[in-house]
Amino acid sequence: MHRTEAEFFAAYSHIDPEELQLASSLAASGLPPVTSREAIAVMTGLNPGFIEAMLKTRRKYYRKFTIKSGKKFRDIYAPRVGLKMIQSWLGHHFAKLDLPDHVHGFVPGRSHITAAQTHIGSDWAYAVDIENFFSTTSRTQVKELLLELGYSEDPADLIADLCTFEGTLPQGSPASPSLSNLVFRSIDEQLLTLSLDLGCRVTRYADDIVFSGSGEMPPELVERINGTFDSSQWTINEAKRRKHPFKGRIKIHGLLIKNDHLRLTGGYRNQIRAYRYLWQNGKVSGSDVAKIKGHLLYARHVDSLYPSNGQFDWTNFPFDKLPRQSFVFHRDLKPSSIIELIRGKLKR
């Protein structure tokens, strides 16, 4: 890593003017100014040889483990520190690019809560889930997206190689959420058109898509959703299709819609009740503190959105502060700031 600003600009001095101009053009469009391995090395402070090694032996720079997701198991490919740092910075800035308003997952200022709020007041809802969303988004599609955004051939290949593994977006990479959103834009546009044609609402949070509306559900909705996916490489998980009300309730993006507000589901509410008891009575062990506190803060946030319908009393609840960690290389370093700093330094 570059320890000082002087080291940063000394490293950038060998970048030729033509490459700097290309980087400047990308930054002006709000894109990460990645033009070559050397440019990434300069921006991150990583050794160019190390970046080359990551590209040649990618398997070595991922850690595979398996987690249980419902009744199934899911393989996670977590990038190791150097690669994760690059992917985190790229993903953070790609997430700032424009997406349709109905997309709520991995978009700054939006969440599954804002997605669920869109459906308040609906009489029905129909939900589908994209099967293996990341792993069915290919490297070819990622490269095509990058070319459309304005990258030239070599930089597009470079970013695609750094952000994909075995030909697809890996589950576990911090760049996969934003890149999958951008690649999926053509389908999102079709889903939005479908909702407007049928006079209903639509939201997508990651792989979870929900339509809702008033009155009766349009009879052609399911067929038109199927048609949209039949012409794409993504498929719907048939086991996760849901029509609501289901057992007399509407559950959307993990939350219950009741009248004019959202509520935690019954099962999760019981879990929070247990966590509150453990926390208030000092029965949470050190290894579980961060996890349980996260659940409690989330429940408090949902309750705070609808104070008159809150499910718990959070007044004077004894939350303790926990330390936060961050990368040495700050992912908020803006593309335009990098170019401005470099140009200013090279003129001296």
Side-chain angles (χ1 to χ4, degrees), residues 270-326:
N270 291 337
Q271 184 177 336
I272 293 299
R273 187 174 290 109
Y275 284 162
R276 282 170 57 93
Y277 173 82
L278 293 173
W279 188 278
Q280 290 173 311
N281 289 278
K283 297 181 180 293
V284 180
S285 63
S287 60
D288 292 327
V289 169
K291 172 186 173 182
I292 291 179
K293 183 179 181 182
H295 284 288
L296 294 171
L297 288 172
Y298 168 71
R300 184 181 68 172
H301 175 64
V302 173
D303 274 351
S304 72
L305 298 174
Y306 309 96
S308 61
N309 295 289
Q311 296 168 281
F312 297 99
D313 180 9
W314 297 101
T315 306
N316 299 321
F317 191 84
F319 287 110
D320 297 320
K321 293 183 179 180
L322 290 176
R324 294 175 66 98
Q325 296 180 341
S326 61

Short mmCIF file of all heavy atoms in Angstrom, two decimals, residues 270-326:
data_model
loop_
_atom_site.label_atom_id
_atom_site.label_comp_id
_atom_site.label_asym_id
_atom_site.label_seq_id
_atom_site.Cartn_x
_atom_site.Cartn_y
_atom_site.Cartn_z
N ASN A 270 -40.65 -13.39 17.53
CA ASN A 270 -40.32 -14.25 18.67
C ASN A 270 -38.81 -14.33 18.88
O ASN A 270 -38.33 -14.37 20.02
CB ASN A 270 -40.89 -15.65 18.44
CG ASN A 270 -42.41 -15.67 18.52
OD1 ASN A 270 -43.02 -14.78 19.13
ND2 ASN A 270 -43.02 -16.65 17.87
N GLN A 271 -38.08 -14.35 17.78
CA GLN A 271 -36.61 -14.38 17.86
C GLN A 271 -36.09 -13.10 18.51
O GLN A 271 -35.21 -13.15 19.39
CB GLN A 271 -36.03 -14.53 16.46
CG GLN A 271 -34.52 -14.67 16.42
CD GLN A 271 -34.02 -14.87 14.99
OE1 GLN A 271 -34.74 -15.33 14.12
NE2 GLN A 271 -32.76 -14.53 14.77
N ILE A 272 -36.64 -11.96 18.13
CA ILE A 272 -36.23 -10.68 18.72
C ILE A 272 -36.58 -10.63 20.20
O ILE A 272 -35.80 -10.14 21.03
CB ILE A 272 -36.90 -9.50 17.97
CG1 ILE A 272 -36.36 -9.40 16.55
CG2 ILE A 272 -36.68 -8.19 18.72
CD1 ILE A 272 -34.86 -9.13 16.47
N ARG A 273 -37.72 -11.16 20.55
CA ARG A 273 -38.12 -11.19 21.96
C ARG A 273 -37.10 -11.97 22.78
O ARG A 273 -36.72 -11.57 23.89
CB ARG A 273 -39.52 -11.80 22.08
CG ARG A 273 -40.11 -11.72 23.48
CD ARG A 273 -41.54 -12.21 23.50
NE ARG A 273 -42.45 -11.28 22.82
CZ ARG A 273 -43.04 -11.50 21.65
NH1 ARG A 273 -42.84 -12.66 21.01
NH2 ARG A 273 -43.83 -10.60 21.12
N ALA A 274 -36.64 -13.09 22.23
CA ALA A 274 -35.64 -13.90 22.93
C ALA A 274 -34.31 -13.16 23.02
O ALA A 274 -33.64 -13.17 24.06
CB ALA A 274 -35.45 -15.23 22.21
N TYR A 275 -33.93 -12.49 21.93
CA TYR A 275 -32.67 -11.74 21.93
C TYR A 275 -32.72 -10.59 22.93
O TYR A 275 -31.72 -10.30 23.61
CB TYR A 275 -32.39 -11.18 20.53
CG TYR A 275 -31.90 -12.20 19.53
CD1 TYR A 275 -31.96 -11.95 18.16
CD2 TYR A 275 -31.35 -13.41 19.94
CE1 TYR A 275 -31.51 -12.88 17.23
CE2 TYR A 275 -30.91 -14.35 19.02
CZ TYR A 275 -30.99 -14.07 17.67
OH TYR A 275 -30.53 -14.99 16.75
N ARG A 276 -33.85 -9.92 23.04
CA ARG A 276 -33.99 -8.83 24.01
C ARG A 276 -33.78 -9.35 25.43
O ARG A 276 -33.08 -8.72 26.25
CB ARG A 276 -35.38 -8.18 23.89
CG ARG A 276 -35.53 -7.23 22.71
CD ARG A 276 -37.00 -6.83 22.52
NE ARG A 276 -37.56 -6.23 23.73
CZ ARG A 276 -37.60 -4.91 23.96
NH1 ARG A 276 -37.07 -4.06 23.09
NH2 ARG A 276 -38.14 -4.45 25.06
N TYR A 277 -34.36 -10.48 25.72
CA TYR A 277 -34.23 -11.06 27.05
C TYR A 277 -32.75 -11.39 27.35
O TYR A 277 -32.23 -11.05 28.41
CB TYR A 277 -35.08 -12.33 27.17
CG TYR A 277 -34.84 -13.08 28.46
CD1 TYR A 277 -35.48 -12.70 29.64
CD2 TYR A 277 -33.96 -14.16 28.50
CE1 TYR A 277 -35.23 -13.37 30.84
CE2 TYR A 277 -33.72 -14.84 29.68
CZ TYR A 277 -34.35 -14.44 30.85
OH TYR A 277 -34.10 -15.10 32.03
N LEU A 278 -32.10 -12.04 26.39
CA LEU A 278 -30.70 -12.42 26.58
C LEU A 278 -29.82 -11.19 26.76
O LEU A 278 -28.95 -11.15 27.63
CB LEU A 278 -30.21 -13.24 25.38
CG LEU A 278 -30.84 -14.63 25.21
CD1 LEU A 278 -30.40 -15.25 23.88
CD2 LEU A 278 -30.47 -15.55 26.36
N TRP A 279 -30.07 -10.16 25.94
CA TRP A 279 -29.26 -8.95 25.99
C TRP A 279 -29.43 -8.21 27.32
O TRP A 279 -28.47 -7.80 27.96
CB TRP A 279 -29.63 -8.04 24.82
CG TRP A 279 -28.74 -6.85 24.64
CD1 TRP A 279 -28.79 -5.66 25.32
CD2 TRP A 279 -27.63 -6.73 23.75
NE1 TRP A 279 -27.81 -4.81 24.91
CE2 TRP A 279 -27.07 -5.44 23.93
CE3 TRP A 279 -27.07 -7.58 22.79
CZ2 TRP A 279 -25.98 -4.98 23.20
CZ3 TRP A 279 -25.98 -7.12 22.06
CH2 TRP A 279 -25.44 -5.85 22.27
N GLN A 280 -30.69 -8.05 27.72
CA GLN A 280 -30.98 -7.29 28.94
C GLN A 280 -30.50 -8.00 30.20
O GLN A 280 -30.29 -7.36 31.23
CB GLN A 280 -32.48 -7.01 29.03
CG GLN A 280 -32.97 -6.01 27.99
CD GLN A 280 -34.48 -5.87 27.99
OE1 GLN A 280 -35.21 -6.87 27.95
NE2 GLN A 280 -34.97 -4.65 28.02
N ASN A 281 -30.33 -9.32 30.10
CA ASN A 281 -29.90 -10.07 31.27
C ASN A 281 -28.45 -10.52 31.19
O ASN A 281 -28.02 -11.40 31.95
CB ASN A 281 -30.82 -11.29 31.45
CG ASN A 281 -32.21 -10.90 31.92
OD1 ASN A 281 -32.44 -10.68 33.11
ND2 ASN A 281 -33.13 -10.77 30.97
N GLY A 282 -27.68 -9.91 30.28
CA GLY A 282 -26.25 -10.18 30.20
C GLY A 282 -25.90 -11.59 29.83
O GLY A 282 -24.87 -12.12 30.27
N LYS A 283 -26.74 -12.23 29.01
CA LYS A 283 -26.50 -13.63 28.67
C LYS A 283 -25.98 -13.82 27.25
O LYS A 283 -26.03 -14.91 26.70
CB LYS A 283 -27.80 -14.42 28.85
CG LYS A 283 -28.32 -14.44 30.28
CD LYS A 283 -29.60 -15.27 30.39
CE LYS A 283 -30.12 -15.28 31.82
NZ LYS A 283 -29.21 -16.01 32.72
N VAL A 284 -25.48 -12.72 26.63
CA VAL A 284 -24.95 -12.81 25.28
C VAL A 284 -23.43 -12.94 25.35
O VAL A 284 -22.75 -12.10 25.94
CB VAL A 284 -25.32 -11.56 24.45
CG1 VAL A 284 -24.76 -11.68 23.04
CG2 VAL A 284 -26.85 -11.39 24.41
N SER A 285 -22.90 -14.01 24.77
CA SER A 285 -21.45 -14.23 24.81
C SER A 285 -20.75 -13.32 23.81
O SER A 285 -21.36 -12.82 22.86
CB SER A 285 -21.13 -15.69 24.49
OG SER A 285 -21.54 -16.01 23.18
N GLY A 286 -19.45 -13.13 24.01
CA GLY A 286 -18.68 -12.20 23.18
C GLY A 286 -18.79 -12.46 21.69
O GLY A 286 -18.89 -11.54 20.89
N SER A 287 -18.77 -13.72 21.27
CA SER A 287 -18.80 -14.05 19.85
C SER A 287 -20.15 -13.76 19.20
O SER A 287 -20.25 -13.66 17.98
CB SER A 287 -18.45 -15.53 19.66
OG SER A 287 -19.38 -16.36 20.35
N ASP A 288 -21.20 -13.62 20.02
CA ASP A 288 -22.54 -13.39 19.48
C ASP A 288 -23.00 -11.94 19.60
O ASP A 288 -24.09 -11.60 19.13
CB ASP A 288 -23.56 -14.28 20.20
CG ASP A 288 -23.36 -15.75 19.89
OD1 ASP A 288 -22.95 -16.05 18.75
OD2 ASP A 288 -23.62 -16.58 20.76
N VAL A 289 -22.21 -11.09 20.24
CA VAL A 289 -22.65 -9.72 20.52
C VAL A 289 -23.01 -8.96 19.24
O VAL A 289 -24.09 -8.38 19.12
CB VAL A 289 -21.56 -8.95 21.31
CG1 VAL A 289 -21.89 -7.46 21.35
CG2 VAL A 289 -21.45 -9.50 22.72
N ALA A 290 -22.09 -8.95 18.27
CA ALA A 290 -22.32 -8.18 17.05
C ALA A 290 -23.54 -8.68 16.28
O ALA A 290 -24.35 -7.89 15.80
CB ALA A 290 -21.08 -8.22 16.16
N LYS A 291 -23.68 -10.00 16.20
CA LYS A 291 -24.79 -10.58 15.46
C LYS A 291 -26.13 -10.21 16.10
O LYS A 291 -27.05 -9.74 15.43
CB LYS A 291 -24.65 -12.10 15.40
CG LYS A 291 -25.85 -12.82 14.82
CD LYS A 291 -25.68 -14.33 14.93
CE LYS A 291 -26.95 -15.06 14.50
NZ LYS A 291 -26.81 -16.52 14.65
N ILE A 292 -26.24 -10.41 17.40
CA ILE A 292 -27.51 -10.15 18.09
C ILE A 292 -27.82 -8.67 18.12
O ILE A 292 -28.97 -8.25 17.94
CB ILE A 292 -27.47 -10.75 19.51
CG1 ILE A 292 -27.48 -12.29 19.41
CG2 ILE A 292 -28.64 -10.26 20.36
CD1 ILE A 292 -27.43 -13.01 20.73
N LYS A 293 -26.79 -7.85 18.31
CA LYS A 293 -27.04 -6.41 18.30
C LYS A 293 -27.57 -5.97 16.94
O LYS A 293 -28.45 -5.11 16.84
CB LYS A 293 -25.76 -5.64 18.63
CG LYS A 293 -26.00 -4.13 18.70
CD LYS A 293 -24.74 -3.36 19.04
CE LYS A 293 -25.03 -1.87 19.11
NZ LYS A 293 -23.83 -1.06 19.38
N GLY A 294 -27.05 -6.56 15.86
CA GLY A 294 -27.53 -6.23 14.53
C GLY A 294 -29.01 -6.52 14.37
O GLY A 294 -29.76 -5.72 13.81
N HIS A 295 -29.45 -7.69 14.88
CA HIS A 295 -30.87 -8.04 14.81
C HIS A 295 -31.71 -7.04 15.62
O HIS A 295 -32.78 -6.61 15.17
CB HIS A 295 -31.09 -9.45 15.34
CG HIS A 295 -30.68 -10.54 14.39
ND1 HIS A 295 -31.40 -10.83 13.25
CD2 HIS A 295 -29.63 -11.40 14.41
CE1 HIS A 295 -30.82 -11.83 12.61
NE2 HIS A 295 -29.74 -12.19 13.29
N LEU A 296 -31.25 -6.70 16.79
CA LEU A 296 -31.99 -5.78 17.65
C LEU A 296 -32.10 -4.38 17.03
O LEU A 296 -33.17 -3.75 17.06
CB LEU A 296 -31.34 -5.69 19.02
CG LEU A 296 -31.37 -6.97 19.87
CD1 LEU A 296 -30.50 -6.81 21.11
CD2 LEU A 296 -32.80 -7.32 20.26
N LEU A 297 -31.02 -3.90 16.45
CA LEU A 297 -31.05 -2.58 15.81
C LEU A 297 -31.98 -2.58 14.60
O LEU A 297 -32.68 -1.60 14.34
CB LEU A 297 -29.63 -2.18 15.38
CG LEU A 297 -28.67 -1.81 16.51
CD1 LEU A 297 -27.26 -1.62 15.97
CD2 LEU A 297 -29.14 -0.53 17.21
N TYR A 298 -31.99 -3.68 13.87
CA TYR A 298 -32.89 -3.79 12.72
C TYR A 298 -34.35 -3.75 13.18
O TYR A 298 -35.18 -3.02 12.61
CB TYR A 298 -32.62 -5.08 11.96
CG TYR A 298 -33.68 -5.41 10.94
CD1 TYR A 298 -33.80 -4.66 9.77
CD2 TYR A 298 -34.56 -6.47 11.14
CE1 TYR A 298 -34.78 -4.96 8.84
CE2 TYR A 298 -35.54 -6.78 10.20
CZ TYR A 298 -35.65 -6.01 9.06
OH TYR A 298 -36.63 -6.30 8.14
N ALA A 299 -34.68 -4.52 14.21
CA ALA A 299 -36.06 -4.54 14.72
C ALA A 299 -36.47 -3.15 15.22
O ALA A 299 -37.60 -2.71 14.99
CB ALA A 299 -36.19 -5.57 15.84
N ARG A 300 -35.56 -2.48 15.90
CA ARG A 300 -35.86 -1.13 16.38
C ARG A 300 -36.12 -0.18 15.21
O ARG A 300 -37.01 0.66 15.27
CB ARG A 300 -34.71 -0.59 17.24
CG ARG A 300 -35.03 0.78 17.85
CD ARG A 300 -33.90 1.32 18.69
NE ARG A 300 -32.72 1.66 17.89
CZ ARG A 300 -31.66 2.29 18.38
NH1 ARG A 300 -31.61 2.62 19.66
NH2 ARG A 300 -30.64 2.56 17.59
N HIS A 301 -35.34 -0.33 14.15
CA HIS A 301 -35.52 0.54 12.98
C HIS A 301 -36.89 0.34 12.35
O HIS A 301 -37.57 1.31 12.02
CB HIS A 301 -34.43 0.26 11.95
CG HIS A 301 -34.61 1.01 10.68
ND1 HIS A 301 -34.56 2.39 10.61
CD2 HIS A 301 -34.87 0.59 9.41
CE1 HIS A 301 -34.76 2.79 9.37
NE2 HIS A 301 -34.96 1.71 8.62
N VAL A 302 -37.30 -0.91 12.19
CA VAL A 302 -38.62 -1.18 11.60
C VAL A 302 -39.71 -0.57 12.49
O VAL A 302 -40.65 0.07 12.00
CB VAL A 302 -38.85 -2.69 11.41
CG1 VAL A 302 -40.28 -2.96 10.97
CG2 VAL A 302 -37.86 -3.25 10.40
N ASP A 303 -39.59 -0.75 13.80
CA ASP A 303 -40.57 -0.17 14.73
C ASP A 303 -40.58 1.35 14.65
O ASP A 303 -41.64 1.98 14.76
CB ASP A 303 -40.26 -0.61 16.16
CG ASP A 303 -40.88 -1.96 16.51
OD1 ASP A 303 -41.67 -2.48 15.71
OD2 ASP A 303 -40.55 -2.49 17.59
N SER A 304 -39.42 1.96 14.46
CA SER A 304 -39.34 3.43 14.44
C SER A 304 -40.05 4.03 13.24
O SER A 304 -40.42 5.21 13.27
CB SER A 304 -37.87 3.87 14.46
OG SER A 304 -37.24 3.62 13.21
N LEU A 305 -40.23 3.24 12.18
CA LEU A 305 -40.91 3.76 10.99
C LEU A 305 -42.39 3.96 11.23
O LEU A 305 -43.04 4.78 10.57
CB LEU A 305 -40.70 2.78 9.82
CG LEU A 305 -39.26 2.57 9.37
CD1 LEU A 305 -39.19 1.47 8.32
CD2 LEU A 305 -38.67 3.86 8.81
N TYR A 306 -42.95 3.21 12.17
CA TYR A 306 -44.38 3.28 12.48
C TYR A 306 -44.56 3.29 13.99
O TYR A 306 -44.98 2.30 14.60
CB TYR A 306 -45.11 2.07 11.86
CG TYR A 306 -44.80 1.90 10.39
CD1 TYR A 306 -43.81 1.02 9.97
CD2 TYR A 306 -45.47 2.67 9.43
CE1 TYR A 306 -43.49 0.89 8.63
CE2 TYR A 306 -45.15 2.54 8.07
CZ TYR A 306 -44.18 1.65 7.69
OH TYR A 306 -43.86 1.53 6.35
N PRO A 307 -44.24 4.42 14.63
CA PRO A 307 -44.23 4.50 16.10
C PRO A 307 -45.54 4.06 16.76
O PRO A 307 -45.52 3.41 17.82
CB PRO A 307 -43.96 5.99 16.37
CG PRO A 307 -43.24 6.45 15.15
CD PRO A 307 -43.85 5.69 14.01
N SER A 308 -46.66 4.39 16.16
CA SER A 308 -47.95 4.05 16.78
C SER A 308 -48.25 2.56 16.67
O SER A 308 -49.16 2.06 17.34
CB SER A 308 -49.08 4.85 16.13
OG SER A 308 -49.19 4.55 14.75
N ASN A 309 -47.50 1.84 15.84
CA ASN A 309 -47.72 0.41 15.68
C ASN A 309 -46.49 -0.41 16.05
O ASN A 309 -46.33 -1.55 15.62
CB ASN A 309 -48.10 0.11 14.22
CG ASN A 309 -49.44 0.72 13.84
OD1 ASN A 309 -50.49 0.27 14.27
ND2 ASN A 309 -49.40 1.77 13.02
N GLY A 310 -45.58 0.19 16.83
CA GLY A 310 -44.37 -0.51 17.23
C GLY A 310 -44.67 -1.78 17.99
O GLY A 310 -45.62 -1.86 18.78
N GLN A 311 -43.84 -2.80 17.78
CA GLN A 311 -44.08 -4.09 18.41
C GLN A 311 -43.31 -4.26 19.72
O GLN A 311 -43.61 -5.16 20.49
CB GLN A 311 -43.70 -5.20 17.42
CG GLN A 311 -44.60 -5.19 16.17
CD GLN A 311 -44.07 -6.08 15.07
OE1 GLN A 311 -43.16 -5.73 14.34
NE2 GLN A 311 -44.63 -7.27 14.95
N PHE A 312 -42.32 -3.39 19.95
CA PHE A 312 -41.54 -3.46 21.17
C PHE A 312 -41.30 -2.05 21.70
O PHE A 312 -41.33 -1.08 20.95
CB PHE A 312 -40.18 -4.14 20.92
CG PHE A 312 -40.27 -5.57 20.47
CD1 PHE A 312 -40.17 -5.90 19.13
CD2 PHE A 312 -40.46 -6.59 21.39
CE1 PHE A 312 -40.25 -7.21 18.70
CE2 PHE A 312 -40.55 -7.91 20.99
CZ PHE A 312 -40.44 -8.22 19.64
N ASP A 313 -41.02 -1.97 22.99
CA ASP A 313 -40.67 -0.70 23.62
C ASP A 313 -39.14 -0.61 23.65
O ASP A 313 -38.47 -1.33 24.38
CB ASP A 313 -41.23 -0.62 25.03
CG ASP A 313 -40.88 0.71 25.71
OD1 ASP A 313 -40.35 1.61 25.02
OD2 ASP A 313 -41.13 0.83 26.93
N TRP A 314 -38.59 0.32 22.86
CA TRP A 314 -37.14 0.47 22.78
C TRP A 314 -36.62 1.63 23.62
O TRP A 314 -35.43 1.94 23.58
CB TRP A 314 -36.72 0.66 21.32
CG TRP A 314 -37.06 -0.51 20.46
CD1 TRP A 314 -38.12 -0.63 19.61
CD2 TRP A 314 -36.34 -1.74 20.37
NE1 TRP A 314 -38.12 -1.86 18.99
CE2 TRP A 314 -37.03 -2.57 19.44
CE3 TRP A 314 -35.19 -2.24 20.99
CZ2 TRP A 314 -36.59 -3.85 19.11
CZ3 TRP A 314 -34.75 -3.51 20.65
CH2 TRP A 314 -35.45 -4.30 19.73
N THR A 315 -37.50 2.25 24.39
CA THR A 315 -37.08 3.37 25.23
C THR A 315 -36.02 2.93 26.23
O THR A 315 -36.21 1.97 26.98
CB THR A 315 -38.29 3.94 26.00
OG1 THR A 315 -39.33 4.26 25.07
CG2 THR A 315 -37.89 5.20 26.77
N ASN A 316 -34.90 3.60 26.21
CA ASN A 316 -33.79 3.33 27.13
C ASN A 316 -33.25 1.90 27.04
O ASN A 316 -32.67 1.37 28.00
CB ASN A 316 -34.22 3.60 28.59
CG ASN A 316 -34.62 5.05 28.80
OD1 ASN A 316 -34.00 5.96 28.25
ND2 ASN A 316 -35.67 5.26 29.59
N PHE A 317 -33.44 1.26 25.88
CA PHE A 317 -32.88 -0.08 25.72
C PHE A 317 -31.35 0.03 25.77
O PHE A 317 -30.76 0.90 25.12
CB PHE A 317 -33.32 -0.71 24.41
CG PHE A 317 -32.99 -2.17 24.31
CD1 PHE A 317 -33.84 -3.12 24.86
CD2 PHE A 317 -31.82 -2.59 23.69
CE1 PHE A 317 -33.53 -4.48 24.79
CE2 PHE A 317 -31.51 -3.95 23.61
CZ PHE A 317 -32.37 -4.89 24.16
N PRO A 318 -30.67 -0.82 26.53
CA PRO A 318 -29.23 -0.67 26.79
C PRO A 318 -28.30 -1.13 25.65
O PRO A 318 -27.56 -2.11 25.79
CB PRO A 318 -29.02 -1.52 28.04
CG PRO A 318 -30.01 -2.62 27.90
CD PRO A 318 -31.24 -1.96 27.30
N PHE A 319 -28.35 -0.41 24.53
CA PHE A 319 -27.41 -0.73 23.46
C PHE A 319 -26.01 -0.26 23.84
O PHE A 319 -25.83 0.84 24.36
CB PHE A 319 -27.82 -0.02 22.16
CG PHE A 319 -29.03 -0.63 21.51
CD1 PHE A 319 -30.24 0.05 21.49
CD2 PHE A 319 -28.96 -1.87 20.92
CE1 PHE A 319 -31.35 -0.50 20.87
CE2 PHE A 319 -30.06 -2.44 20.31
CZ PHE A 319 -31.26 -1.75 20.29
N ASP A 320 -25.03 -1.10 23.57
CA ASP A 320 -23.63 -0.72 23.82
C ASP A 320 -22.95 -0.44 22.50
O ASP A 320 -23.33 -1.00 21.47
CB ASP A 320 -22.87 -1.85 24.54
CG ASP A 320 -23.46 -2.16 25.90
OD1 ASP A 320 -23.83 -1.21 26.61
OD2 ASP A 320 -23.56 -3.35 26.23
N LYS A 321 -21.95 0.40 22.52
CA LYS A 321 -21.22 0.71 21.29
C LYS A 321 -20.22 -0.41 20.99
O LYS A 321 -19.60 -0.97 21.87
CB LYS A 321 -20.47 2.03 21.44
CG LYS A 321 -21.39 3.24 21.55
CD LYS A 321 -20.58 4.52 21.63
CE LYS A 321 -21.50 5.73 21.71
NZ LYS A 321 -20.73 7.00 21.78
N LEU A 322 -20.09 -0.70 19.70
CA LEU A 322 -19.13 -1.70 19.25
C LEU A 322 -18.15 -1.05 18.28
O LEU A 322 -18.52 -0.16 17.52
CB LEU A 322 -19.86 -2.84 18.51
CG LEU A 322 -20.73 -3.74 19.38
CD1 LEU A 322 -21.45 -4.74 18.50
CD2 LEU A 322 -19.89 -4.48 20.40
N PRO A 323 -16.89 -1.46 18.29
CA PRO A 323 -15.92 -0.87 17.35
C PRO A 323 -16.24 -1.27 15.92
O PRO A 323 -16.78 -2.34 15.67
CB PRO A 323 -14.59 -1.47 17.81
CG PRO A 323 -14.97 -2.76 18.46
CD PRO A 323 -16.29 -2.49 19.13
N ARG A 324 -15.92 -0.38 15.00
CA ARG A 324 -16.11 -0.66 13.58
C ARG A 324 -14.75 -0.80 12.92
O ARG A 324 -13.79 -0.16 13.31
CB ARG A 324 -16.88 0.47 12.89
CG ARG A 324 -18.31 0.61 13.38
CD ARG A 324 -18.93 1.82 12.73
NE ARG A 324 -19.05 1.64 11.31
CZ ARG A 324 -20.17 1.25 10.70
NH1 ARG A 324 -21.25 1.05 11.40
NH2 ARG A 324 -20.22 1.12 9.39
N GLN A 325 -14.68 -1.63 11.90
CA GLN A 325 -13.44 -1.82 11.16
C GLN A 325 -13.66 -1.38 9.72
O GLN A 325 -14.77 -1.45 9.20
CB GLN A 325 -13.00 -3.29 11.18
CG GLN A 325 -12.67 -3.77 12.59
CD GLN A 325 -12.23 -5.21 12.57
OE1 GLN A 325 -12.49 -5.94 11.63
NE2 GLN A 325 -11.56 -5.63 13.63
N SER A 326 -12.62 -0.94 9.08
CA SER A 326 -12.72 -0.54 7.69
C SER A 326 -11.42 -0.86 6.96
O SER A 326 -10.39 -1.09 7.59
CB SER A 326 -13.00 0.96 7.59
OG SER A 326 -11.95 1.70 8.18
#
